[in-house]
Amino acid sequence: LLLSLLLLALPPLSQPFMLRGFAGLSRFVSNVLRQSSHVLHFRTRTSMSARDPRAGGMHGQLFQYAPQLQAFESGPGHSEKKLIMLGGLSDGLLPCWYVPSLGQAAAERGWSLVQPILRSSYNMWGFGSLERDIEDVSALMAFLAEERGARQFAICGHSTGCQIACHYMRNRHQLPHHNVTHVILQAGVSDRELEDVDAIAKQQQTLQLARQLARQPDGGEEFLPRSACWAPVTAQRFLDLNEVAGRDDYFSSDLSEEELARRFGGFYQSTHVMIAYSSDDEYVPSAVKKQEVVDKIARAMRGEGVKSRIVPLIVPNANHALSPRPEDPENASAEKFFVQKIREFLED
């Protein structure tokens, strides 16, 4: 069926493939699909596999929490404790392999799992901002408190979702108060730190263009050329993610103790935090010393007089999204390790 659909979509140039037989066309289709998957790939994307637990679905309730914004709640919906899952760039519902297991572990501790759609979800991240994200998170919490009985909240961020979680904590004094007792940061890494020479060259070139646009009246809201990124992105959003000290620059390894203190200090006195960093995160340059990074962030969060638990954690044998490694696809040891740590973390 797939081959037939592709044949209908192909221009006349494809006719010679028919003459070469099915084997030649199969190789052609394989190449097309492989190239397409490469083009679609981004930091939080992983390909589906036959045993991806997300394919089995999750049971719960879908509801609207704000105009044109929805969320899905699974587990004990009557619970007063709600764990909010925030994915990264290009993510929406079921952002990671481990989400079904996380939901089950949370339910065992009396928490329901809430997966929201934000205005920046899926490919809309390129014209959003952290400010808008935390407005949506605040609106979600207000709805959960008023309509679904929430009295206690936890936030689990994956990838750029970690920036949303930290930005919320940093600015929540300006937002309606909600009782956030736990924050989990899974794979919060720098967007601007790259290793590939060609990628760095393109990043610097695009930064120059974005700065030029942003200096013009309302130029920050203008979109960059298609060549700048695989998804539509404005000049300001690109600067937020890639500029030194940009709005999203929370986890770069070269941030000083003082810079980290401004981002994390004083915001976690009554909130427990787990900082989970993948041992083999493919989006972290090889020169970055991961344990030093999480320890620096933990020190900045602790500051002086903080009584909450700040837990730095390196997840062994783990890639960015904690999906199974190619050399051991059936094991999913990183997912199991992480979910067990979350189960312990949410216990009190």
Side-chain angles (χ1 to χ4, degrees):
L1 177 59
L2 176 60
L3 293 176
S4 299
L5 291 174
L6 283 171
L7 278 172
L8 290 173
L10 288 172
L13 183 61
S14 63
Q15 297 302 319
F17 286 105
M18 296 296 296
L19 301 177
R20 296 175 199 166
F22 182 77
L25 181 56
S26 298
R27 288 192 296 271
F28 170 72
V29 171
S30 177
N31 288 335
V32 169
L33 294 178
R34 183 166 57 250
Q35 292 168 8
S36 298
S37 65
H38 173 73
V39 171
L40 289 174
H41 178 75
F42 197 63
R43 206 174 75 177
T44 59
R45 288 279 173 90
T46 56
S47 59
M48 294 288 286
S49 73
R51 66 172 300 272
D52 191 322
R54 293 172 293 183
M58 298 180 71
H59 298 282
Q61 288 187 321
L62 180 68
F63 57 89
Q64 179 169 287
Y65 68 90
Q68 297 185 325
L69 294 176
Q70 303 80 35
F72 180 79
E73 183 174 15
S74 57
H78 61 277
S79 175
E80 296 183 348
K81 300 190 292 184
K82 312 290 187 186
L83 170 59
I84 298 172
M85 178 75 213
L86 301 175
L89 302 185
S90 80
D91 282 332
L93 300 176
L94 294 171
C96 298
W97 178 282
Y98 61 78
V99 169
S101 296
L102 176 65
Q104 181 178 353
E108 292 172 6
R109 295 292 181 256
W111 295 77
S112 68
L113 180 67
V114 180
Q115 301 177 61
I117 299 296
L118 309 180
R119 282 174 286 175
S120 61
S121 294
Y122 299 112
N123 279 6
M124 296 182 287
W125 62 268
F127 41 96
S129 67
L130 288 180
E131 286 74 20
R132 198 172 73 174
D133 289 339
I134 67 173
E135 288 176 5
D136 292 350
V137 171
S138 182
L140 173 66
M141 289 183 177
F143 181 89
L144 292 172
E146 295 167 10
E147 303 294 335
R148 301 182 75 85
R151 297 292 179 268
Q152 182 180 351
F153 293 98
I155 302 174
C156 179
H158 160 70
S159 195
T160 311
C162 296
Q163 280 125 258
I164 301 174
C166 292
H167 204 68
Y168 175 86
M169 295 300 294
R170 188 180 183 183
N171 294 278
R172 67 173 174 163
H173 62 283
Q174 303 173 8
L175 300 167
H177 174 73
H178 296 290
N179 182 28
V180 181
T181 58
H182 296 74
V183 169
I184 302 156
L185 305 176
Q186 189 271 310
V189 301
S190 173
D191 288 277
R192 66 174 172 84
E193 290 185 325
L194 305 174
E195 189 162 37
D196 181 76
V197 174
D198 292 335
I200 293 172
K202 181 179 179 180
Q203 178 195 53
Q204 295 307 309
Q205 182 182 11
T206 309
L207 275 171
Q208 185 176 1
L209 175 58
R211 293 182 192 120
Q212 292 173 353
L213 275 175
R215 284 195 290 267
Q216 301 172 12
D218 299 321
E221 300 306 309
E222 293 294 327
F223 284 96
L224 294 172
R226 291 186 179 186
S227 60
C229 185
W230 63 273
V233 60
T234 64
Q236 187 57 60
R237 186 61 172 141
F238 191 87
L239 291 172
D240 290 347
L241 289 162
N242 292 276
E243 187 81 278
V244 174
R247 293 173 186 170
D248 281 72
D249 196 5
Y250 275 84
F251 302 106
S252 294
S253 63
D254 59 358
L255 293 174
S256 67
E257 300 278 357
E258 292 74 21
E259 290 170 321
L260 290 172
R262 287 196 293 271
R263 288 160 174 77
F264 300 109
F267 307 119
Y268 299 92
Q269 292 92 336
S270 58
T271 302
H272 305 305
V273 185
M274 175 179 288
I275 311 162
Y277 215 99
S278 296
S279 62
D280 302 310
D281 196 312
E282 64 270 30
Y283 300 108
V284 177
S286 56
V288 171
K289 298 178 180 178
K290 300 176 180 65
Q291 188 67 59
E292 289 186 8
V293 171
V294 295
D295 287 344
K296 283 171 60 177
I297 294 172
R299 285 197 299 272
M301 288 180 173
R302 291 188 184 107
E304 295 182 5
V306 174
K307 297 181 180 180
S308 56
R309 290 181 295 125
I310 310 296
V311 183
L313 177 71
I314 300 296
V315 182
N317 195 37
N319 57 23
H320 187 67
L322 307 185
S323 55
R325 307 293 292 273
E327 62 271 18
D328 191 15
E330 299 302 319
N331 191 9
S333 61
E335 172 201 349
K336 294 175 183 176
F337 178 90
F338 174 69
V339 170
Q340 178 57 33
K341 291 296 181 181
I342 296 306
R343 188 178 283 108
E344 298 167 3
F345 182 66
L346 293 175
E347 197 164 13
D348 52 19

